[in-house]
Amino acid sequence: MGLSVHHPLASLSLNTDKEALISFRSQISQDPQTLFLSWDQNTSPCNWTGVSCNTRNRRVASINLSSHGLSGSISPSIGNLSFLTSLQLQNNQLQGTIPKEITNLFRLKVLNLSSNSLEESLPSNLSKLVNLRILDLTSNTITRLVPNQLGDLKNLNILNLGNNLFYGPIPPSLSNISSLTVLSLSTNSLSGPIPYELGRLEKLQVLDLTINNLTGTVPPSIYNISSLVSLVLASNNLYGQFPSNIGDTLPKLLVFNICFNKFTGEIPDSLYNLTNIKVIRAAHNLLEGTVPSRLGNLPFLEMYNVGFNKLVWDKDQDLDQFIKSLSNSSQLNFLAFDGNLLEGVIPDSIGNLSKNRSKLFMGGNRFTGKILESIGHLTGLTLLNMSDNSLTGEIPQEIGNLKGLQVLELARNQLAGRIPNSLGDLGALNEINLSHNKLEDMIPPSFENFKNILSMDLSNNMLNGSIPNGVLNLQSLSAILNLSKNLLSGHMPQDISCLENLVSLDLSDNHLSSNVPSSIKGCQSLEKLNMARNHLSRPIPETLAEPKGFRASRSIFKPVFWFYSLEASRFTSFEVLESFIQES
């Protein structure tokens, strides 16, 4: 029978817990949500916010102080809470080390210290936490080898050490944790091969090793973990080919992500037998062969990214057939096959893609023909990238129907004619790049409607006329405004001070005249300015030395500011103008 709360031994034990908690509180320097107001020494800690006690012997069993903005360190006194089974301090701003006393909590089942600023190494005797089920230390700054002794935590279900500074090899001893269902070691500096022994984890559902320095081939044993739901190996230095029967040996797979590696061979056709799969990401590898035509068999597919490989169509396939194969893929919102060796004309059927499609990457191939009006049917698009192809004809007015579009990339094609005024209807646009084409006539006045634009590149075209005042009044422009290598004429706009957040301005290689406006001092963030090869007149305004970006970039960027037909001696009095190139 358990002790009553009035029993002297029970009272003494609860007082011990109270003292440990008071000591823990003393190490917290900031409590922005006044969490600790309820921690009154004259009341039972079982009534304190974030503290729970077990009902049998009224001892502190759980602490959950997550997401309260706490600053400070974890007191070693936490190790005196001998009945603690759950400690959750995630998503705060705690610093310092994890105290070694935490390993005294032999009843602990859940330890979540993720999303803090904890540093240095793990306690050396973690293996004492024999009942631990969840160990989550994600998103800290812990620096050390992954300890071999973690393999002694035989009851662990979830081990998450992602987004830290762990280095060295993955210890094969982790394969001793037969109950493990989640193993995440992503975003560290781990090196060496993936241990073959990990294939013994027969209950593993999630294996996430992204963003490390792992090398070698993936052990065949990994492809035999039939319980795997998510296999994520992106951003390493892995190579080799995939077994052809991967879709049979991993029947539960929902996420397959091997981007940014050096895998070769073909995408296994058996992968398309996994009718429930949601994510296939194989971009930035050395994969060859054809783009499978069986994507229509995957009704739950949400992301398909095979960009930047060496893929081609098979003998009976083209872009039209590929698009038609996606007719049943109503959940597919991210489609990327850019940077391959695909060719052919853009078919009218492109407008039949699901309206749920939000991102479409098809640049960097060998597509030809026109961008057809049916593109305007894809009203769900937030990103459209057709850059680096051989597209011809005019930009269709119907692109203006894509009201949610945030990124429009049509650069480095052979597009001609006028820029349609309807593009100004894209009020959500953040980035537009129409550079390196054969576009003519004036910059549409409707571009002044781009109230959310961050970057605009219209360079290397044949645009003429003056720069619309509205374009130089776009306060949201903060990255790039590049109008260089066109036929723009007229006076330099006198009021460009609205571009106070712009980092890079390039107006070079045009026919602009008059002097550099003194209002340029309002461009406080400007770091790069190029006005070379125009018809600008002297003098250079003294205010050019005033923008903060010029001053801030002196030692880091060493910016070069180019002006047409102005002698270098004009700059000798401006400390900020570190160099000058005279180009005529």
Side-chain angles (χ1 to χ4, degrees), residues 106-124:
F106 65 92
R107 291 183 172 89
L108 203 62
K109 294 181 179 180
V110 176
L111 176 58
N112 191 341
L113 306 177
S114 62
S115 299
N116 281 286
S117 298
L118 301 171
E119 55 191 8
E120 296 185 19
S121 61
L122 299 179
S124 59

Side-chain angles (χ1 to χ4, degrees), residues 175-444:
S175 64
N176 296 331
I177 313 174
S178 59
S179 57
L180 207 59
T181 60
V182 175
L183 174 58
S184 177
L185 305 175
S186 65
T187 318
N188 281 288
S189 297
L190 300 174
S191 56
I194 299 173
Y196 182 91
E197 292 84 351
L198 294 186
R200 298 207 300 256
L201 299 173
E202 296 180 353
K203 297 181 180 178
L204 197 64
Q205 297 177 22
V206 174
L207 177 60
D208 187 351
L209 305 178
T210 50
I211 314 180
N212 280 289
N213 299 314
L214 300 174
T215 57
T217 60
V218 179
S221 60
I222 299 297
Y223 299 122
N224 288 323
I225 306 176
S226 59
S227 56
L228 271 180
V229 173
S230 178
L231 176 60
V232 187
L233 307 175
S235 298
N236 282 286
N237 293 305
L238 301 170
Y239 56 86
Q241 299 186 12
F242 300 103
S244 60
N245 63 342
I246 188 172
D248 303 318
T249 58
L250 300 177
K252 298 181 180 179
L253 202 61
L254 299 181
V255 176
F256 180 66
N257 184 355
I258 49 95
C259 288
F260 292 97
N261 280 287
K262 298 174 183 176
F263 290 113
T264 54
E266 298 188 3
I267 301 172
D269 194 58
S270 64
L271 201 60
Y272 303 94
N273 295 334
L274 301 173
T275 54
N276 292 317
I277 199 165
K278 294 183 177 181
V279 175
I280 298 175
R281 299 183 64 186
H284 292 274
N285 280 285
L286 303 172
L287 299 172
E288 298 178 330
T290 61
V291 178
S293 58
R294 297 169 53 207
L295 288 178
N297 297 344
L298 310 177
F300 302 107
L301 192 64
E302 298 172 2
M303 175 181 284
Y304 186 69
N305 186 355
V306 293
F308 295 93
N309 284 287
K310 301 177 181 180
L311 302 177
V312 298
W313 300 128
D314 67 27
K315 59 182 180 180
D316 299 319
Q317 194 180 30
D318 57 19
L319 185 55
D320 186 42
Q321 291 297 319
F322 176 68
I323 289 172
K324 289 176 179 176
S325 74
L326 297 173
S327 58
N328 293 328
S329 303
S330 59
Q331 303 301 313
L332 188 60
N333 57 57
F334 187 112
L335 177 60
F337 46 91
D338 48 334
N340 279 288
L341 305 175
L342 306 175
E343 54 189 27
V345 298
I346 307 292
D348 195 57
S349 59
I350 196 168
N352 296 331
L353 288 170
S354 170
K355 287 185 172 57
N356 291 330
R357 194 88 63 249
S358 63
K359 293 180 175 61
L360 177 58
F361 295 84
M362 52 189 298
N365 281 289
R366 300 172 180 178
F367 295 128
T368 57
K370 299 180 178 181
I371 303 173
L372 300 178
E373 293 82 356
S374 61
I375 197 76
H377 297 162
L378 302 179
T379 52
L381 279 184
T382 60
L383 182 150
L384 175 61
N385 188 336
M386 294 182 166
S387 293
D388 297 286
N389 282 291
S390 298
L391 302 178
T392 56
E394 298 186 357
I395 300 173
Q397 291 272 355
E398 286 74 10
I399 285 186
N401 296 336
L402 310 180
K403 306 298 185 186
L405 203 63
Q406 297 173 15
V407 177
L408 177 60
E409 294 270 357
L410 302 177
R412 293 172 294 280
N413 281 287
Q414 299 175 36
L415 300 171
R418 302 182 62 178
I419 300 174
N421 203 53
S422 63
L423 293 192
D425 296 335
L426 303 177
L429 211 60
N430 300 142
E431 180 181 336
I432 182 169
N433 189 346
L434 307 180
S435 66
H436 294 83
N437 280 289
K438 300 176 181 179
L439 299 171
E440 301 173 340
D441 215 328
M442 302 179 65
I443 299 173

Side-chain angles (χ1 to χ4, degrees), residues 366-556:
R366 300 172 180 178
F367 295 128
T368 57
K370 299 180 178 181
I371 303 173
L372 300 178
E373 293 82 356
S374 61
I375 197 76
H377 297 162
L378 302 179
T379 52
L381 279 184
T382 60
L383 182 150
L384 175 61
N385 188 336
M386 294 182 166
S387 293
D388 297 286
N389 282 291
S390 298
L391 302 178
T392 56
E394 298 186 357
I395 300 173
Q397 291 272 355
E398 286 74 10
I399 285 186
N401 296 336
L402 310 180
K403 306 298 185 186
L405 203 63
Q406 297 173 15
V407 177
L408 177 60
E409 294 270 357
L410 302 177
R412 293 172 294 280
N413 281 287
Q414 299 175 36
L415 300 171
R418 302 182 62 178
I419 300 174
N421 203 53
S422 63
L423 293 192
D425 296 335
L426 303 177
L429 211 60
N430 300 142
E431 180 181 336
I432 182 169
N433 189 346
L434 307 180
S435 66
H436 294 83
N437 280 289
K438 300 176 181 179
L439 299 171
E440 301 173 340
D441 215 328
M442 302 179 65
I443 299 173
S446 63
F447 275 25
E448 68 182 19
N449 298 330
F450 291 152
K451 302 305 182 186
N452 296 298
I453 200 75
L454 305 175
S455 175
M456 183 189 302
D457 191 345
L458 308 180
S459 64
N460 288 272
N461 281 289
M462 296 183 289
L463 301 173
N464 56 39
S466 59
I467 302 174
N469 284 330
V471 169
L472 293 173
N473 287 328
L474 294 172
Q475 297 183 9
S476 61
L477 269 172
S478 57
I480 294 171
L481 175 58
N482 190 348
L483 305 179
S484 66
K485 294 182 174 62
N486 278 290
L487 304 173
L488 299 172
S489 59
H491 288 180
M492 269 291 299
Q494 293 301 301
D495 186 12
I496 63 173
S497 59
C498 288
L499 302 178
E500 57 184 351
N501 299 311
L502 190 66
V503 171
S504 177
L505 175 61
D506 192 344
L507 303 177
S508 63
D509 293 281
N510 281 288
H511 302 306
L512 300 173
S513 58
S514 78
N515 59 344
V516 181
S518 60
S519 58
I520 200 169
K521 68 179 181 180
C523 304
Q524 291 295 304
S525 300
L526 207 58
E527 294 175 2
K528 297 179 181 179
L529 173 62
N530 189 347
M531 296 183 180
R533 294 174 297 279
N534 278 287
H535 303 298
L536 303 178
S537 56
R538 291 178 276 189
I540 295 172
E542 298 259 345
T543 53
L544 237 178
E546 296 180 17
K548 294 178 182 177
F550 283 2
R551 297 199 297 272
S553 65
R554 284 184 59 205
S555 60
I556 301 173

Side-chain angles (χ1 to χ4, degrees), residues 45-66:
C46 300
N47 297 325
W48 294 356
T49 300
V51 179
S52 300
C53 295
N54 60 35
T55 55
R56 187 173 65 85
N57 57 10
R58 302 296 289 172
R59 295 293 303 273
V60 173
S62 173
I63 298 176
N64 187 345
L65 304 178
S66 60

